[in-house]
Structures are given as structure tokens and as C-alpha cells.
């Protein structure tokens, strides 16, 4: 324990006592970064609103939705009005309420798929990246993982998911399985790449030289460094999963509307039944919902990726928004700003080759 | 030096050989996944004749690997199976591929011509309004599901712009021979200006929607590799020669940024090909995307398993080839890469 | 007295990094006489490279901001010239040799294309009505030139190299370069020979990565010279090279300085090079110019404590005995520089007066050459410092 404890302190980290303060500093940094990036901030706010609305829809749907999920109103095929913001359809369903009922389901499916893909693909990626010594049994395993991953990556995931969905049939679980089967390889590739990059950093080598076990190194050092890009990718991925699952719904292989509300299936239903030309507002609700949700997650993820990417961080820093660079705790000695280290411009520390 | 034409030939040959096991793997996966659950023929095809049903049951009752082996041997022999109603798969796909390629190349062209300059603009104004506007633009495309964009374009935008939104030509088949099955090129070969314009007009909307939705990858990658290149010293030395900022950016910086941008070509191809499934269906484009849509039972039609496997394989091979092209382009664009 | 080729007056440059401001160059005034070689020396981080890159407005703004002052070149204040007009001044007006030859050449283009491009800029400007030459020999106002226009075809440069030793490619570039192929080629070859490249014909077809650092720096020098600039800025041209290559490139620089006879601002931290090449010498410390004067006199009798310490600490080539001396204390943090004279915390003759803002101005030294200036309240005491 003594050895590993000493070595584990190689990367700059806070002790347990400081962690509350670290959380505070982290949150403050997060807030300042968001404030400096208007688009990312908008994305964050909309995502937060959507998540709260989804929770409300599960707990107390009547707060937001004026009608029940299967409640037939007396109005048929009416355009948007005060009573029915997105109009009604031929069955007399209030499209606004239906869109809201689809919100928790769509978010749940998206989070379930992206989350399971992240965990499953992440574990495989860690194994393939960390235990990849050629000749060993684990090295062979890593090669097998990567070969299979490469083959999966050759498929456009939507196409393969569609093919699996047709074989599995319609339904929520079938939908999740179909997308998940095509979704994990992206996380394997991402996590493996990050693991390979971190693995040879001096402090990891030092930990290994000091006799820290592999499992411990992976848990304490590698995972910590891999987490950041994976979380960013995950945020962006929610949007992509949503698009994919609603496309499957649109093709007619997802959940069956109107028995279960899901945005893609709703659009498919209205478009397929020829209602769209006569009653174009029918696609307004679900279309807008999916667009806003995906855009919000993309804005957030895209912005986070820029902020966490050192290249962009430098640019942001240059315009006076580089909160990260000055966000060290006040009691720590202020590190000299970039120009103090080399008298060249901040840019010239860039790598030698493109 | 390792960069003579013969080195390039060896380089490409090796890459092609490496594809063989990958394509085999693709076929196994595609086959297994489409046949993953037990098919109940009478449920899937309620209106089929007794003859078709027995044929269907015979096909699906064998162990999955022996089913695959039969399929594989037939596949190599050019027999790609048929739909339950007896329509052969191979001819349908063979005529569909050029149409799909035309659509994909047209949107790839739009992505390059619009997406890459947008990436340069975003990088030049990083963190300022130009950057934000470009980001809103490409994320809007990113966040638009293909079907939504296609439906909006076909139903609402097309009449407004006066553009056709169905098929390759106003009347099909057109009054001239179709040698290549690329609609625009065929009309050009026939030296028929009217039909050339007609073909262009039909291509414009689906290609634009496909390009708009997939633009984000190209723009984003160009932006980030430009951000990497702009601070480098050779950009400064190009400026110090007295070249205008435009030439410094679009000749010196972009030429280097493009080297990394080519690596996303594979991802782009995946997005474009997947997009064709819905786009072609909505716009009535006679390509393999629309064929895929019907094969997998889109819109409630009975699924065509042989067709689905073949189409999935063709799409995956398309992505693999796009990756190969990206690999070769990377080697050609970067003079530091040796062809081995 | 003639107007100086370059006259910097009270120039200040800050970097804005996050919430902090970093004063890289503070209130620097400097004259470079036409035809003279002026050396600037100082430690790493003293702002000399920032100064060098600020003159042709090469600093990315932001993060860099010019806080004040003027940069007069050929009678034009470069601080006020709009950025889009700066290209007319760069190249033929001010040219520059960079610190990092490894990164200064574009890795995607052949050597010939890169040098020919510079030749082209010169020729294009000379061929315009009025050209670059004035009969009366008066300074030429480059900012009056029309906005730059590179005639090179994009296509010529996007043809991927290496597929063949393509003659088509080269002809396109040459046609664009406003001369017949052989003419431009001759000029390029002449300049490669000028920088003592042995086999220029072969070098032309190579890519930068196929050349050594020393070769690349020679090509950078050729590229800078072939535009016949009115002012050449050499920003530590040798510090990134191996010691032996450094010596070769320096010898070349020394010879070229005599041959081309242009105005040069030579940034270096190598006192020996400056001693051999420069006419005047400026010493920078913590973003300020602390001493300026004829090179021989500054070396013989420095009038600022920092210069004195710097000269003492410099290793001479043949000195083998005794320890290497260093200056006590450390370079100040330029986001919070010490008040008054920035050298006072490390100065052996500092008085309370030295800590009062604003510090000592750069003023002529009594009893020295007329253009010998020092930013010290007590220049006469400096020779007495042990």
C-alpha cells in the first residue's frame, strides 16, 4: 500500500480532504466556461429543461400535458391553436400531449443505448488498449476485439440496425437491442485510442515500475484520463442515437404509434398515412421536438469537446474566455502564463509536424 | 524515395488484399444479424402461396451457418438470392448502384465546396461570431433527422422553389439510352440539353438535403485541423512572403489541413450512404437506398431477407472502399508518407 | 541625419491570457539606420521575439495587443496600417528569417514552389506601374501598393506531389509567377547558390522533410533575400540548430550581411554573433530596452548593470577555467513586473529611487558616444561594478 500510495500521487490530484473544494472549483470553472460560450450555455439549459420535463412527465404528466396519452378529443385534424398548440390528428389525439408523452421514452431509450454502449464498449476498449502486448494471451484477445470492432465499424450503423430490427420485430426492447448491437464499436475505438495515448505517459510508467498492479493502474490512472473525452462523446452521442432510433421508427420498424408514442414513429405514421400534405402541422410537434432535443445535446457536446480540447482551449483563452487556464485554486502559486515560458507566441509550441 | 508510381501500385494492392477478410466478416455479420431470430414464414408473409411458404420454411429451418454457407457460395456465383415473390436481388442492386453513387457524389461535392470553406471561416474567426454562426449552421444539419429534412424539402420546399421532388427525370425512362445509369451523365452523352437540365434539377434537392445533414463532419474537421495548422511557423513565413491572407489560408494552411480532413472520409461515406435509405425513398430516387428501404420492410411491406443482406453488404463495402480511398489520399497528399 | 529605415517609438505589447495581462514589451523605442545591422540581445522571455514579430504585425491579435506606440517604416506607421494592407509591406518591404527552420517551410510543397513564390511576389510588384524602385532613392512607401494579389493558380498547388516528377505542375507555377519558366528558375537557382547550397538543381525537387535543419534554414534565408527586402529581420536564426550547423549558418549570415548590404534587425541571445556582425546593439530585459549603443562601445564599457552582468555571464568560446557565472535572482513575472526599474531586485547598485514608477527612461549617457543610451539612473557607476 505504501508504494502504491506514493506513486499514486504522481499526477496532480487532491487528497480526500480537498475534494469538496475541488468539486466547488470544478463547478465554478464549469459555470465560467459555459458563460463564456453562449451556444454551449444554451445547449446546457435546454438539455436541463428537457430532462426536468421528462421527469415531470413520468411523475406527474398532467402538469405539462393537457390530455392523457390515449385521450380522444372531440377535435379532428385541427391546425395549431391555443387549445392544441401542435394541432390534432385524425384520431382526435392532441399532438402536443403525444409529443410530450414521447419525451421520456425517447430520452430513456437514447440514454440506455448510449450508456450501455459506453460501458460495454469502454470495457472492451480498455482491455484492447491496455493489455495489448503482442504474444501474450491478452494480446491475442485484444487483437480479436479489434478485428471484430473493425468489421462492425465498416457498417453504417443505421443500416445494420435496420437489418437487425427487421429480424427482431417491432417493440421498445427490440429497438434498443438492434441499435446497441451496432453502437458499442465506436466506444471501443475511442477508449482504446485514449488508453494507448495515456498508457505511455511518464507517471503511468512510473506507477508500473513501482509495482502497482495493472488493475489498479487502469482504475486509478487510465480511467480518470479516458473519462473526459468519453463523457464528451457520450453527450454528442445522445443526439445521434435519438436520430437513429427515430429514423428506425420512421421506416416503420420501431415502436408502433399510436399505441406507444415515439417521435420517429409519429412522423412515420402521419407521413405514411398521407396526412402530411393535407395536414402539414402533424409533423410539426414531433419534428420540432426531435430537432430541438438533438440540437441541444449537440450544442452541449460540441461545445464541451472544444473546451476540453487543448487546441481550442488556447484559442478561447486568447479571446479572454479561457477560464480553465486561470481556474487553479487561489492558494496555489499562479503558474506563469504561456508567454512566460517561451518568449514565442502561444502558437509556436504546436507540434513539429502536421 | 518510396513514392514512385510502382510503390503506389504495391501500396494500393496490399490495402486491397487486406480487405478480403474484412469483407468476409462483413458478410457473416450481415447474414447472422438479419437471421438472428426464428422467422415464422406464415406470420411474415400472410398472403404468400403455399409454394412460397414451403420454400421460405425450407430456407429458414436449417442451422444458421449452413444457411450462410449456401448463401455465400451462391453469392460468389452471382446468385444473390431473390425476394419471396421471386424478384432477383442482383439485377436490382446492379442498376441501383449508379443512381446511389450519383447522389452520394453530388452531395460529397456540395459538402466539399461549401463545408470546407465554412470550416476555414470558422477557424479564422474562432471564438467569435463567424465561428458561432458556422457552428449553428452545421449543428442544425446534424440535428435534423434525415427523414425530417427530406420530408420538409420534398413536400414543402420543392413546390416553393419550383424544383422537382420525385425520381431522376420528369418522365421515366427518358427518351435516350442509359449507358451509365448516372442520370446527368447519360443525358449529357445523349447531347440533350433539356434532359441534362432536367436531370440536374431532379438531383439538386436530394443531394442538397443529404449534404446539409452530413456537412458537420467536414466543417468540424476542417475547422479543428485549421486551428492546428494556423499557428505553425510555415503559415507565418507564408505571410512574410507578402502573400495576401486569402492565399495564406486557402493555399498554404488549407493544403496541410486537408491532409487530416481526408481521414474522416470513411465516416462521411457511412453517413451519406445511410442517409440515402430515407432520402431515396422520400424522393423516389431509384437507387439501392430505396431498395434497402423496401427490402427491410420499410413502410410495412413484407421484408426481403436476401435483399437486406446484400444491401447491407454493399453499403458496408462502400464504407470500406471510402476508407481505402481516404487512406490512399492521405498518402498522396502528405509528401512525408512513404508508400510501402 | 537621414531618416532611419525603421523607427520604433514607445511600443508596448501585451498578451491577454484569461483574466491576466502579460506585458511582453513595454515602452520600447529604437532606431535602425538605413544600411545598419542592429542586434537585439536578451534572455529567453525578455520580449525580443515578440518585438521582432510585432514589426511586420505577425503576432496573432488577440491574444497579443499593441498597447501603444508607433512603428515607423518608410514613413508609415505600421501600427495604423489596416491588417489587410500589411501583405503589401511584407516580403519586399520587411522580410523575416524565423527561429525554427524545421517548421518554417510548408511541408506540402516542393522547395522550388516555395522559393519561386517569393520570387513571384517581387516580380509582380516590380512589374506594376511605378514598381518598387524610385529614381530619387527616397524611401518607398509600400503601403501605397495595391492590395496583394497572388497570381498563382490554386490548381497548380493542389496537384498532389510525388505521383510523378510532373513537369505540368511546375510549368503552371512558373506561368503564374509572371516569368518564363527558365527565368524564374534561374533566379531561384541564383539565390540557392547565394546561400551556398551545393547542388541546387536536386534540392529544387525535394520536399522540406527531406532536408536537414541547416539546409532548410539556408533556404529560408534565400527565400527572404530573393524578395530584396528593405529591412530583414532575423529572429534567432540559429538557436534551433545543432552547434556545428549553427556555426556554418552564422558564417553564412556574416558573409551575406556584407554581400547583400541591407538593413538588418538581428535578434539573438548569442553575444558573440552580435559582436561580429552588428553595428549597434540593443539589450532587452523583462520587456524593456535597457541599453542601446554602438556595438564596440557597449561591449567595451556597458552602461547598464544588466548589460554588465550579461556580458560577464556569457561563456566565451575559449574560456575553459572557472565556473560559468550567472546573474543572481530570477527573471520577473511579466504579468506583475516589479515597480520602477525592472532590474532593481537583482541590481547591485539599486537605490530606493529605482523602485519608484515610472522607472528610468532610456537616456543618452554623458561622456559616451552620442547614440549610446542607457535606462539606468546611475550609468556612470556601472563601470565600477566588480
Amino acid at each position: 500500500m505504501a508504494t502504491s500510495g506514493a506513486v499514486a500521487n504522481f499526477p496532480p490530484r487532491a487528497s480526500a480532504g480537498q475534494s469538496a473544494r475541488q468539486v466547488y472549483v470544478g463547478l465554478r470553472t464549469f459555470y465560467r466556461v459555459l458563460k463564456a460560450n453562449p451556444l454551449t450555455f444554451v445547449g446546457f439549459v435546454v438539455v436541463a429543461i428537457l430532462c426536468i420535463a421528462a421527469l415531470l412527465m413520468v411523475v406527474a404528466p398532467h402538469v405539462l400535458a393537457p390530455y392523457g396519452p390515449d385521450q380522444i378529443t372531440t377535435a379532428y385534424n385541427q391546425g395549431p391553436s391555443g387549445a392544441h398548440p401542435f394541432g390534432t390528428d385524425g384520431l382526435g389525439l392532441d399532438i402536443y400531449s403525444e409529443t410530450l408523452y414521447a419525451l421520456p421514452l425517447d430520452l430513456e431509450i437514447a440514454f440506455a443505448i448510449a450508456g450501455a454502449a459506453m460501458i460495454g464498449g469502454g470495457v472492451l476498449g480498455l482491455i484492447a488498449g491496455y493489455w495489448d502486448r503482442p504474444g501474450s494471451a491478452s494480446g491475442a484477445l485484444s487483437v480479436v476485439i479489434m478485428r471484430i470492432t473493425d468489421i462492425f465499424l465498416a457498417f453504417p450503423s443505421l443500416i445494420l440496425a435496420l437489418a437487425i430490427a427487421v429480424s427482431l420485430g417491432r417493440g421498445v426492447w427490440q429497438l434498443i437491442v438492434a441499435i446497441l448491437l451496432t453502437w458499442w464499436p465506436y466506444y471501443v475505438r475511442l477508449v482504446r485510442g485514449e488508453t494507448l495515448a495515456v498508457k505511455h505517459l511518464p507517471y503511468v510508467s512510473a506507477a508500473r515500475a513501482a509495482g502497482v498492479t495493472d488493475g489498479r493502474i487502469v482504475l486509478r490512472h487510465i480511467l480518470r484520463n479516458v473519462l473526459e473525452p468519453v463523457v464528451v462523446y457520450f453527450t454528442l452521442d445522445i443526439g445521434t442515437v435519438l436520430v437513429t432510433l427515430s429514423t428506425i421508427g420512421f421506416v416503420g420498424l420501431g415502436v408502433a404509434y399510436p399505441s406507444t408514442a415515439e417521435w420517429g414513429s409519429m412522423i412515420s405514421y402521419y407521413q405514411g398515412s398521407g396526412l402530411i400534405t393535407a395536414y402539414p402541422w402533424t409533423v410539426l410537434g414531433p419534428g420540432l421536438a426531435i430537432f430541438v432535443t438533438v440540437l441541444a445535446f449537440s450544442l452541449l457536446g460540441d461545445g464541451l469537446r472544444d473546451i476540453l480540447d487543448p487546441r481550442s482551449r488556447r484559442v478561447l483563452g486568447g479571446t479572454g474566455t479561457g477560464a480553465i487556464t486561470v481556474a487553479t485554486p487561489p492558494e496555489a502559486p499562479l503558474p506563469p502564463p504561456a508567454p512566460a515560458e517561451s518568449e514565442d507566441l502561444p502558437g509556436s509550441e504546436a507540434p513539429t509536424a502536421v | 524515395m518510396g513514392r514512385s508510381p510502382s510503390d503506389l501500385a504495391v501500396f494500393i494492392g496490399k490495402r486491397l488484399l487486406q480487405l478480403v477478410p474484412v469483407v468476409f466478416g462483413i458478410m457473416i455479420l450481415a447474414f447472422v444479424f438479419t437471421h438472428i431470430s426464428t422467422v415464422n414464414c406464415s406470420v411474415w408473409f400472410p398472403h404468400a402461396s403455399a409454394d412460397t411458404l414451403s420454400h421460405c420454411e425450407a430456407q429458414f429451418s436449417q442451422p444458421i451457418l449452413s444457411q450462410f454457407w449456401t448463401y455465400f457460395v451462391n453469392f460468389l456465383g452471382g446468385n444473390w438470392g431473390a425476394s419471396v415473390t421471386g424478384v432477383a436481388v442482383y439485377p436490382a442492386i446492379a442498376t441501383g448502384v449508379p443512381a446511389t453513387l450519383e447522389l452520394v457524389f453530388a452531395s460529397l461535392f456540395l459538402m466539399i465546396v461549401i463545408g470546407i470553406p465554412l470550416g476555414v471561416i470558422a477557424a479564422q474567426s474562432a471564438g467569435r461570431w463567424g465561428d458561432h454562426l458556422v457552428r449553428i449552421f452545421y449543428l442544425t444539419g446534424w440535428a435534423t433527422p434525415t427523414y425530417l429534412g427530406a420530408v420538409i424539402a420534398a413536400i414543402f420546399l420543392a413546390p416553393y422553389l419550383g424544383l422537382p421532388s420525385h425520381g431522376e427525370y420528369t418522365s421515366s425512362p427518358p427518351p435516350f439510352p442509359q449507358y451509365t445509369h448516372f442520370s446527368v451523365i447519360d443525358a449529357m452523352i445523349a447531347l440533350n440539353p433539356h434532359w441534362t437540365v432536367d436531370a440536374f434539377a431532379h438531383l439538386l434537392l436530394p443531394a442538397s438535403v443529404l449534404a446539409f445533414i452530413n456537412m458537420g463532419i467536414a466543417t468540424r474537421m476542417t475547422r479543428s485541423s485549421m486551428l492546428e495548422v494556423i499557428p505553425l511557423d510555415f503559415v507565418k513565413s507564408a505571410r512574410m512572403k507578402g502573400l495576401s491572407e486569402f492565399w495564406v489560408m486557402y493555399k498554404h494552411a488549407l493544403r496541410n489541413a486537408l491532409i487530416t480532413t481526408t481521414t474522416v472520409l470513411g465516416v462521411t461515406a457511412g453517413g451519406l450512404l445511410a442517409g440515402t435509405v430515407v432520402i431515396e425513398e422520400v424522393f423516389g430516387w431509384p437507387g439501392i437506398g430505396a431498395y434497402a428501404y423496401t427490402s427491410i420492410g420499410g413502410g410495412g411491406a413484407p421484408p426481403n431477407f436476401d435483399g437486406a443482406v446484400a444491401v447491407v453488404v454493399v453499403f458496408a463495402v462502400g464504407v470500406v472502399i471510402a476508407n481505402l480511398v481516404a487512406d490512399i489520399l492521405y498518402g498522396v497528399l502528405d509528401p512525408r508518407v512513404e508508400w510501402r | 541625419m537621414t531618416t532611419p529605415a525603421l523607427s520604433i517609438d514607445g511600443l508596448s505589447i501585451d498578451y491577454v491570457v484569461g483574466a491576466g495581462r502579460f506585458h511582453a514589451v513595454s515602452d520600447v523605442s529604437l532606431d535602425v539606420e538605413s544600411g545598419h545591422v542592429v542586434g537585439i540581445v536578451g534572455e529567453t522571455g525578455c520580449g525580443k521575439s515578440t518585438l521582432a514579430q510585432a514589426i511586420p504585425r505577425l503576432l496573432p491579435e488577440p491574444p497579443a495587443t499593441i498597447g501603444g506606440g508607433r512603428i515607423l517604416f518608410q514613413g508609415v506607421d505600421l501600427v495604423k496600417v489596416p491588417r489587410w494592407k500589411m501583405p503589401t509591406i511584407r516580403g519586399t518591404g520587411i522580410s523575416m528569417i524565423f527561429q525554427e527552420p524545421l517548421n518554417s517551410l510548408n511541408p506540402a510543397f516542393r522547395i522550388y514552389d516555395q522559393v519561386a513564390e517569393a520570387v513571384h511576389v517581387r516580380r509582380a510588384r516590380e512589374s506594376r506601374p511605378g514598381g518598387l524602385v524610385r529614381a530619387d532613392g527616397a524611401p518607398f512607401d509600400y503601403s501605397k501598393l495595391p492590395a496583394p494579389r497572388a497570381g498563382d493558380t490554386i490548381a497548380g498547388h493542389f496537384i498532389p506531389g510525388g505521383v510523378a516528377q510532373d513537369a505540368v505542375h511546375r510549368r503552371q507555377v512558373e506561368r503564374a509567377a509572371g516569368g518564363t519558366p527558365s527565368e524564374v528558375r534561374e533566379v531561384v537557382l541564383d539565390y540557392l547558390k547565394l546561400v551556398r547550397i551545393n547542388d541546387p538543381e536536386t534540392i529544387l525537387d525535394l520536399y522540406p522533410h527531406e532536408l536537414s535543419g541547416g539546409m532548410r534554414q539556408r533556404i529560408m534565408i534565400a527565400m527572404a533575400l530573393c524578395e530584396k527586402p528593405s529591412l530583414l529581420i532575423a529572429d534567432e536564426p540559429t538557436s534551433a540548430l545543432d552547434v556545428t550547423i549553427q556555426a556554418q549558418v552564422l558564417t553564412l549570415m556574416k558573409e551575406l550581411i556584407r554581400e547583400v548590404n541591407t538593413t538588418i534587425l538581428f535578434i539573438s541571445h548569442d553575444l558573440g554573433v552580435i559582436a561580429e556582425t552588428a553595428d549597434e546593439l540593443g539589450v532587452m530585459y523583462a520587456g524593456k530596452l535597457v541599453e542601446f549603443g554602438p556595438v564596440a562601445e557597449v561591449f567595451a564599457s556597458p552602461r547598464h548593470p544588466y548589460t554588465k552582468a550579461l556580458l560577464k555571464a556569457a561563456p566565451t568560446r575559449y574560456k575553459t577555467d572557472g565556473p560559468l557565472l550567472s546573474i543572481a535572482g530570477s527573471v520577473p513575472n511579466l504579468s506583475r513586473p516589479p515597480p520602477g526599474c525592472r532590474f532593481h531586485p537583482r541590481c547591485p547598485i539599486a537605490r530606493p529611487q529605482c523602485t519608484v514608477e515610472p522607472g528610468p527612461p532610456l537616456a543618452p549617457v554623458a561622456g559616451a558616444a552620442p547614440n549610446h543610451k542607457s535606462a539606468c539612473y546611475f550609468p556612470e557607476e556601472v563601470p565600477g561594478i566588480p
Side-chain angles (χ1 to χ4, degrees):
Chain A
M1 191 56 215
T3 6
S4 66
V7 173
N9 283 334
F10 268 43
R13 284 199 299 112
S15 67
Q18 278 181 307
S19 60
R21 181 165 177 82
Q22 277 235 321
V23 168
Y24 168 69
V25 170
L27 282 179
R28 203 183 52 188
T29 310
F30 183 66
Y31 171 70
R32 289 178 62 174
V33 166
L34 281 186
K35 209 177 67 177
N37 297 271
L39 292 182
T40 318
F41 188 70
V42 170
F44 177 73
V45 170
V46 177
V47 165
I49 292 173
L50 285 170
C51 289
I52 293 168
L55 271 180
L56 261 181
M57 284 308 293
V58 174
V59 184
H62 303 296
V63 179
L64 293 173
Y67 298 94
D70 303 316
Q71 190 181 340
I72 310 281
T73 65
T74 47
Y76 300 99
N77 290 330
Q78 285 199 350
S81 64
H84 307 287
F86 295 143
T88 58
D89 64 8
L91 295 174
L93 292 172
D94 176 46
I95 299 180
Y96 171 69
S97 304
E98 291 297 313
T99 306
L100 276 176
Y101 281 107
L103 172 68
L105 180 71
D106 271 85
L107 283 187
E108 270 165 29
I109 299 179
F111 272 99
I113 291 170
M118 177 171 71
I119 294 166
V123 169
L124 288 177
L126 272 178
I127 294 172
Y130 191 79
W131 287 278
D132 68 339
R133 201 156 50 86
S136 64
S138 59
L141 176 66
S142 141
V143 168
V144 170
I145 293 176
M146 286 323 290
R147 285 284 169 277
I148 295 177
T149 307
D150 282 344
I151 292 173
F152 268 94
L153 285 172
F155 294 98
S157 43
L158 171 68
I159 311 251
L160 188 58
L162 282 172
I164 300 172
V166 65
S167 150
L168 291 179
R170 300 185 75 154
V172 173
W173 277 108
Q174 286 87 331
L175 188 63
I176 291 180
V177 169
I179 301 179
L180 191 54
L181 276 175
T182 68
W183 221 255
W184 57 273
Y186 299 94
Y187 285 92
V188 177
R189 185 171 59 179
L190 174 71
V191 172
R192 175 172 175 269
E194 294 292 329
T195 308
L196 284 177
V198 175
K199 193 168 106 170
H200 296 295
L201 290 183
Y203 72 84
V204 178
S205 309
R208 204 176 302 131
V212 182
T213 59
D214 281 345
R216 218 182 155 73
I217 290 176
V218 167
L219 284 182
R220 299 199 64 156
H221 300 305
I222 309 256
L223 204 56
R224 183 182 296 274
N225 283 283
V226 167
L227 214 55
E228 194 174 276
V230 169
V231 166
V232 171
Y233 186 82
F234 177 81
T235 315
L236 270 175
D237 212 27
I238 296 287
T240 324
V241 177
L242 265 173
V243 168
T244 305
L245 83 92
S246 72
T247 306
I248 295 177
F250 174 81
V251 171
L253 296 174
V255 297
Y257 183 77
S259 59
T260 314
E262 189 273 323
W263 294 327
S265 312
M266 286 170 78
I267 295 179
S268 166
Y269 175 77
Y270 294 131
Q271 197 249 357
S273 51
L275 293 173
I276 190 166
T277 33
Y279 315 113
W281 62 83
T282 46
V283 291
L284 179 70
L288 208 60
I290 195 153
F291 176 76
V292 168
T293 312
V294 177
L295 187 63
F297 276 101
S298 307
L299 280 175
L300 181 61
D302 205 50
L304 284 181
R305 181 156 63 174
D306 269 355
I307 291 159
L308 296 172
D309 178 5
R311 288 194 307 269
S312 318
R313 201 182 307 178
R314 192 162 57 215
V315 173
L316 291 170
T319 50
T321 57
I324 287 180
T325 44
V326 285
T328 41
E331 64 267 28
L334 194 73
E341 289 162 349
S342 91
E343 74 170 299
D344 264 312
L345 294 177
S348 55
E349 73 223 30
T352 332
V354 185
Chain B
M1 213 165 86
R3 281 181 74 83
S4 68
S6 64
D7 288 322
L8 186 61
V10 173
F11 174 82
I12 294 173
K14 270 188 187 166
R15 292 291 188 284
L16 282 174
L17 269 183
Q18 287 168 2
L19 291 190
V20 174
V22 176
V23 172
F24 187 72
I26 285 171
M27 290 191 65
I28 294 187
L29 271 186
F31 191 87
V32 169
F33 275 137
T34 40
H35 296 66
I36 206 165
S37 61
T38 335
V39 176
N40 189 334
C41 292
S42 53
V43 172
W44 273 115
F45 312 113
H47 308 298
S49 65
D51 190 36
T52 333
L53 273 185
S54 66
H55 174 78
C56 170
E57 265 153 19
Q59 187 186 347
F60 290 110
S61 58
Q62 290 167 9
I64 197 157
L65 280 180
S66 91
Q67 280 184 47
F68 172 72
W69 187 247
T70 320
Y71 179 84
F72 183 67
V73 171
N74 286 336
F75 189 91
L76 291 186
N79 172 12
W80 292 15
S83 70
V84 210
T85 47
V87 181
V89 171
Y90 179 77
I93 288 186
T95 50
V97 165
T100 298
L101 279 183
E102 182 176 31
L103 186 59
V104 165
F105 282 140
S107 29
L108 199 59
F109 175 77
L110 289 176
M111 278 175 68
I112 290 171
V113 171
I114 299 170
I116 288 180
L118 278 181
V120 176
I121 291 170
Q124 276 180 298
S125 59
R128 295 197 299 268
W129 274 109
D131 189 19
H132 294 323
L133 286 179
V134 170
R135 176 167 304 185
I136 289 175
F137 178 75
Y138 76 70
L139 282 183
T140 304
W142 181 304
T144 311
T146 318
Y147 58 86
L148 192 63
V151 165
I152 289 175
I155 295 180
F156 303 114
L157 223 51
Y160 182 72
L161 296 173
L163 284 171
S165 63
H166 191 88
E168 287 184 303
Y169 302 104
T170 306
S171 71
S172 208
F176 48 82
Q178 291 173 279
Y179 298 112
T180 62
H181 286 278
F182 286 84
S183 62
V184 177
I185 293 176
D186 276 334
M188 280 175 164
I189 290 175
L191 297 174
N192 191 328
H194 170 75
W195 284 95
T196 309
V197 171
D198 188 61
F200 256 121
H202 279 81
L203 181 59
L204 191 58
L205 215 45
S208 305
V209 174
L210 197 52
F212 175 64
I213 281 163
N214 290 284
M215 188 87 75
I217 308 165
T219 305
R220 182 164 179 107
M221 196 64 197
T222 309
R223 176 183 179 273
S224 69
S225 41
M226 281 296 279
L227 281 183
E228 211 170 299
V229 168
I230 288 175
L232 294 184
D233 279 2
F234 71 78
V235 176
K236 278 187 209 164
S237 65
R239 283 201 182 110
M240 277 316 290
K241 284 182 194 172
L243 298 179
S244 68
E245 195 61 17
F246 179 85
W247 288 100
V248 171
M249 283 297 144
Y250 284 86
K251 180 175 160 186
H252 284 267
L254 184 59
R255 173 64 174 72
N256 282 277
L258 278 182
I259 295 172
T260 28
T261 307
T262 53
T263 53
V264 296
L265 197 63
V267 188
T268 314
L272 289 177
L273 286 174
T276 59
V277 174
V278 171
I279 296 257
E280 289 186 0
E281 174 60 25
V282 173
F283 284 94
W285 194 261
I288 48 171
Y291 185 74
Y293 185 91
T294 41
S295 299
I296 55 176
N304 166 4
F305 286 95
D306 285 344
V309 179
V311 146
V312 171
V313 169
V314 168
F315 274 134
V317 169
V319 174
V320 168
I321 290 175
N323 276 312
L324 174 75
V325 170
D327 208 13
I328 295 168
L329 261 184
Y330 185 91
V332 171
L333 282 175
D334 188 348
R336 288 164 296 192
V337 174
E338 297 220 341
W339 296 330
R340 268 177 297 174
Chain C
M1 193 175 154
T2 56
T3 28
L6 174 76
S7 172
I8 298 172
D9 186 15
L11 184 70
S12 297
I13 298 159
D14 296 346
Y15 288 108
V16 181
V17 180
R21 272 183 102 78
F22 182 85
H23 311 283
V25 171
S26 311
D27 194 21
V28 166
S29 298
L30 177 74
D31 282 354
V32 181
E33 297 297 331
S34 204
H36 282 216
V37 177
V38 171
I40 302 282
V41 295
E43 292 165 78
T44 301
C46 72
K48 54 189 195 298
S49 266
T50 300
L51 178 68
Q53 302 201 23
I55 295 167
R57 299 282 299 280
L58 217 50
L59 295 173
E61 305 170 19
T65 47
I66 295 185
R70 295 187 301 168
I71 304 169
L72 283 174
F73 172 71
Q74 315 277 41
V76 178
D77 185 0
L78 298 185
V79 175
K80 296 212 179 76
V81 172
R83 279 189 84 81
W84 62 272
K85 268 235 161 196
M86 276 313 292
T88 60
I89 289 156
R90 297 182 189 137
T92 47
I94 303 175
S95 199
M96 192 156 172
I97 303 168
F98 289 88
Q99 205 166 11
E100 291 275 350
L102 295 179
N103 303 338
S104 299
L105 289 167
N106 192 328
F109 298 125
R110 290 170 202 271
I111 300 300
Y112 175 78
D113 301 331
Q114 306 199 34
V115 184
E117 196 176 44
V119 174
H120 155 65
V121 172
R122 172 87 199 172
R123 293 173 74 107
R125 288 180 188 174
E126 275 175 348
S127 65
R128 289 214 176 96
L132 288 179
V133 190
R134 285 195 30 182
D136 56 359
F140 181 82
D141 180 357
Y142 286 96
S143 68
K144 294 270 158 56
L145 279 172
R149 179 178 65 93
D152 290 334
T153 54
I154 281 198
H157 287 274
F158 277 85
I159 290 178
V163 176
Q165 304 280 324
D166 44 335
V168 184
H169 177 194
R170 185 175 304 148
R171 245 180 281 120
Q172 272 178 326
V173 178
E174 277 156 354
R175 206 175 304 125
T180 62
S182 55
E183 265 180 280
V184 177
R185 196 181 165 81
E186 284 311 310
V187 177
V188 172
L189 282 176
D190 281 349
Y191 275 94
L192 291 190
K193 282 175 198 150
L194 180 74
V195 295
R196 323 304 193 244
I197 285 175
N198 283 331
D199 190 6
E201 293 276 354
T202 336
I203 299 289
L204 286 186
D205 285 329
L206 297 182
Y207 284 97
H209 73 274
E210 293 166 304
L211 300 174
S212 67
M215 281 299 249
R216 285 189 230 183
Q217 194 60 301
R218 281 163 201 258
I219 286 158
M220 283 305 295
I221 296 171
M223 228 155 72
L225 290 180
C226 72
E227 300 215 41
K228 301 181 196 156
S230 311
L231 170 69
L232 177 65
I233 301 172
D235 181 9
E236 303 206 40
T238 57
S239 57
L241 301 171
D242 292 345
V243 182
T244 46
I245 310 296
Q246 271 189 12
Q248 290 173 16
V249 173
L250 281 176
T251 314
L252 172 71
M253 288 290 294
K254 276 184 272 179
E255 292 169 6
L256 287 178
I257 285 171
R258 262 177 243 126
E259 283 175 41
V260 299
N261 192 27
T262 182
T263 315
I264 296 176
L265 187 64
F266 200 125
I267 315 283
S268 180
H269 56 228
D270 187 331
L271 290 166
V273 182
I274 299 292
E276 287 181 68
T277 55
D279 300 307
E280 277 99 31
L281 168 63
V283 181
M284 283 188 74
Y285 178 75
K288 290 214 173 210
L289 190 66
V290 294
E291 184 164 6
F292 187 85
V295 77
E297 197 178 286
V298 174
F299 270 85
S301 81
R303 293 306 180 97
H304 193 283
Y306 175 68
T307 317
K308 177 109 184 176
L310 191 68
L311 289 174
K312 228 166 35 180
T316 38
R317 203 161 289 173
Y318 306 108
K319 183 180 165 186
T320 49
D321 57 326
L324 276 173
L325 295 170
S326 63
I327 307 175
S330 60
V331 183
N333 178 349
L334 288 185
S335 51
R336 276 177 241 140
C341 173
R342 291 187 178 172
F343 190 58
H344 82 255
R346 306 167 79 181
C347 182
I349 57 167
R351 321 265 166 92
Q353 183 191 354
C354 297
T355 64
V356 180
E357 286 284 4
L362 192 69
V365 182
N371 60 345
H372 193 166
K373 298 171 190 167
S374 164
C376 182
Y377 289 124
F378 318 104
E380 69 285 349
E381 288 182 26
V382 175
I385 300 174

